[in-house]
Amino acid sequence: MATQLIMTVGTNALPVWVAWHHLKDKLDPPIKVRFIHTADTTDDKDRLVKYCQGSNFGNHIKTSPGDPATVRRDIRQKILNGLDENTTTIHFHYTGGTKVMGVEAESAIESKLPQNIQMETSYLDPRSTGGPSIAGRSRRYVDDARKNVNPQLDRIALLNGFIVPPFGHHPFLQPPTPNQLRYGRKFLNKPDMVVPKGVAGIKNKGDLLEYGAYDALEAALKSITTRTNYIIFQGVHCRRKGVPSAKKFELDVVAALGYQLIVISCDTSSPVPKNDTASEKQKKRKLGSFSINIKRKAIEAYHRAKQLGGDEAWAIMLCKAEHNIAAGIQEELRDETGSKSMPLQVWGEDKWPNLQNQFVYYLRNDLHWR
């Protein structure tokens, strides 16, 4: 018995790696792995070859992303090349790549399938009610694909074409100190507090909100789960791999739940200060400018989260907006994300004093992390 595992590759290599990580232990050995990719996703395929360590690779297949006839021809001509004589199963996983690649490759494989070989299919379903699962035609291979995945931020980033420290002279990320976390907790309950002087790593209220968010998220994770495969960072610097001139960007707080990322962006600007003496018209204009700024930052946070963590990344914009303003901004962002699950959320200042419990609800009900 032997299995040939064939996987389509798109511009988001992370879920393909996740599927390989689980399927390699669930299919009949020995397993030979082959990727179907395009000219534009050759780099993604090469990264997968690097990170699918220990695999026995066959000849990979390069095809078209959108021409059905080309995909059928390439698969039919090349799919049986390199099949071991003891192969009993071809397992086709089609999470990556275009719909044309998935549909036409599956059809072409079945049309050339020898009678003594059976075919299985699977895909990674990020919208499963219990967390992202790996399902097939007749069985579910994995209930929650985040389980048993070691949360390595550098690997997650590299699979999506980005790098995090160490690069250049920037040291690798260090967790906040107990003193920084203590002031962060205090700030969540007293956002008008004076920024403490002489405390390392605290220069402004933005730093305090980041430490408060880090502390609340960490406490929430510890309180709801026995899982240990998560990790949290503060102040993550990133840039695109292989492009020295690429602009670096920073993410305030990042958590990896297995392979799935949460990015929290923090903003402490005030919509309209309480002591503002401006006219109602001027206040309305200021509030409008504030809302536009928060929306812009939220979209940027979600965009960066997806760049670093792929299509399953989530983002939260933590800001000083009142509840109704935050809810209005979030509603406007539904069209931006194109998802009913709201992978991008806007949390106003009303959530700050009870931020740990807000994270508990979010993790349990939105991300199904228990």
Side-chain angles (χ1 to χ4, degrees), residues 7-14 16-17 33-53 57-63 97 101 158-161:
M7 312 182 82
T8 50
V9 178
T11 55
N12 185 7
L14 180 61
V16 182
W17 177 88
V33 180
R34 299 174 72 183
F35 294 124
I36 300 175
H37 66 100
T38 68
D40 290 337
T41 59
T42 299
D43 289 344
D44 302 273
K45 180 264 296 181
D46 291 342
R47 288 194 294 270
L48 284 165
V49 169
K50 176 182 178 181
Y51 278 95
C52 295
Q53 297 172 352
F57 291 108
N59 295 326
H60 305 300
I61 300 172
K62 184 167 71 173
T63 189
M101 290 169 63
L158 279 169
L159 280 167
N160 288 308

Side-chain angles (χ1 to χ4, degrees), residues 160-233:
N160 288 308
F162 285 79
I163 59 174
V164 296
F167 55 76
H169 300 290
H170 196 289
F172 197 74
L173 303 164
Q174 298 295 324
T177 67
N179 207 28
Q180 291 167 340
L181 296 177
R182 179 172 65 86
Y183 279 110
R185 286 192 297 271
K186 185 177 180 180
F187 179 71
L188 293 178
N189 290 285
K190 297 181 179 181
D192 293 330
M193 66 179 279
V194 177
V195 177
K197 296 181 179 180
V199 180
I202 299 179
K203 297 180 180 179
N204 51 51
K205 290 188 176 183
D207 294 330
L208 290 170
L209 184 55
E210 290 180 29
Y211 296 137
Y214 180 107
D215 182 73
L217 179 56
E218 184 177 48
L221 283 163
K222 289 180 178 179
S223 71
I224 68 170
T225 184
T226 58
R227 302 192 198 192
T228 58
N229 66 326
Y230 64 83
I231 193 166
I232 309 174
F233 299 97

Side-chain angles (χ1 to χ4, degrees), residues 245-277:
S245 61
K247 183 180 178 181
K248 299 175 186 177
F249 58 91
E250 182 178 0
L251 304 175
D252 296 335
V253 179
V254 178
L257 312 183
Y259 71 91
Q260 199 173 54
L261 290 192
I262 307 170
V263 171
I264 303 169
S265 181
C266 300
D267 186 274
T268 57
S269 61
S270 295
V272 180
K274 294 179 180 179
N275 60 351
D276 196 314
T277 60

Side-chain angles (χ1 to χ4, degrees), residues 238-348:
C238 319
R239 68 171 169 82
R240 189 173 292 279
K241 179 178 171 57
V243 186
S245 61
K247 183 180 178 181
K248 299 175 186 177
F249 58 91
E250 182 178 0
L251 304 175
D252 296 335
V253 179
V254 178
L257 312 183
Y259 71 91
Q260 199 173 54
L261 290 192
I262 307 170
V263 171
I264 303 169
S265 181
C266 300
D267 186 274
T268 57
S269 61
S270 295
V272 180
K274 294 179 180 179
N275 60 351
D276 196 314
T277 60
S279 67
E280 289 302 315
K281 185 176 182 179
Q282 290 172 324
K283 289 180 180 179
K284 187 175 181 179
R285 187 181 299 115
K286 288 182 179 181
L287 185 58
S289 297
F290 168 82
S291 298
I292 291 172
N293 185 53
I294 294 300
K295 182 178 179 181
R296 177 184 61 79
K297 289 187 175 182
I299 293 173
E300 181 181 3
Y302 183 55
H303 172 67
R304 296 303 190 186
K306 291 185 68 175
Q307 282 185 312
L308 191 65
D311 292 338
E312 291 185 50
W314 293 66
I316 297 173
M317 183 72 233
L318 203 58
C319 65
K320 293 195 73 175
E322 294 181 359
H323 174 74
N324 61 323
I325 300 299
I329 296 172
Q330 181 170 304
E331 186 63 29
E332 291 178 10
L333 290 170
R334 282 185 180 272
D335 290 337
E336 302 289 344
T337 61
S339 174
K340 293 182 179 180
S341 63
M342 288 308 295
L344 170 57
Q345 299 187 19
V346 180
W347 292 6

